[in-house]
Amino acid sequence: MSPARKMKMFDLLVRMGYKEIEVGFPSASQTDFDFVRQLIEGNHIPDDVTIQVLTQAREHLIERTYESLVGAKQAIVHLYNSTSILQRRVVFNQDEDGILDIALQGARLCKKYEETLADTHITYEYSPESFTGTELEYAVRVCNAIADVFEASADSQVIINLPATVEMATPNVYADSIEWMSRHLHPREGIILSLHPHNDRGTGVAAAELGYLAGADRIEGCLFGNGERTGNVDLVTLGLNMFVQGIDPMIDFSDIDEVRRTVEYCNQLPVAERSPYGGDLVFTAFSGSHQDAIKKGFEALERDAAAAGKDVSDVTWQVPYLPVDPKDLGRSYEAVIRVNSQSGKGGVAYLLKNEHSLDLPRRAQIEFSGVIQRRTDTVGGEVSGAQLWQLFQDEYLPPAGKMDNGAVTPLAR
């Protein structure tokens, strides 16, 4: 991601309300280092936002990380090293004590270089990378030793981040491991227990939700689940899942299309059309029975609002197949119903009423939906609102009068 794209993403996250933003791996590339410096020197970081930087447990990388933070008001330094059984054997060729020593050396070096940042408040984060492939007893041994070096306390909390670097089990198993760690980390009041789920099994959101219920305090993720391989947990889905359950995520999703466009520009990757909440088709019904239920749901909302003397936007949202009001996310109702060969009378009637103010009686709905069905079965694809109206005109409205010579004459007004 170029610096310009990084800045656009950072500005979006700030506008949405995120308060802790990982901005790069400044010791890994000059681009990331320069971007951190640009944020600090350009005064782009609001006072209530804390940037987070990542570093491996190696001295030259840690030193470079602290150089990037000079002048920052506050920052999270995220230290990590892999602790899994597999990586201990095939990557590091180290036993448990050897891997623990790597982690402890890294933590001590962080404390050493913190002294070079007299005016910056540092919060520490530690990740036993590949936590899901690490024995719990060993993971807690490493994390508690790191917490001791960082002097974790209620007044100076340390973030212990437990990543599903590779998702290796069902979400309930991950949640069980989080609950066990929460009970054995010390001092618990000095620990912010953080999750970092990936999506290798397609259950990153479920793992995050269950892990949070199991005792976690914090979740790391990306908008629309961008990240390594199958991606990190999707913060859009996670936040809006809370929203539809009546919990304010304190994140602004009121213009989901702008969020999606910005993420696509910055990541240079498309967001899937059926990506929860943000994809182009997530509020669109093609099925006839779904369309009929949605149409009746809208009509019921209008009746309820009229009976209560309220605007439709002020009554409780209850429309079948639409768990959230698209307008809450900055969407319109125009694309809620689209007509193809699966569609029935409900979808056809909805489009005629909403786009052309034509409320067909039930028998006419049934008859005209048959016309549309024959059209879509023959031609295939969708029928737009404009095409639907043209077909209605062709079927039911008399053509303009014609002179004997075949010339068309305008209808009298």
Side-chain angles (χ1 to χ4, degrees), residues 139-153:
V140 81
R141 176 188 169 198
V142 174
C143 290
N144 283 336
I146 294 296
D148 288 342
V149 173
F150 287 147
E151 301 175 279
S153 69

Side-chain angles (χ1 to χ4, degrees), residues 7 14 45 92 170 188 214 241 259 272 308 319 337:
M7 184 62 74
V14 169
I45 308 168
F92 297 100
T170 53
R188 186 60 182 89
N241 279 358
V259 173
V319 175
I337 289 179

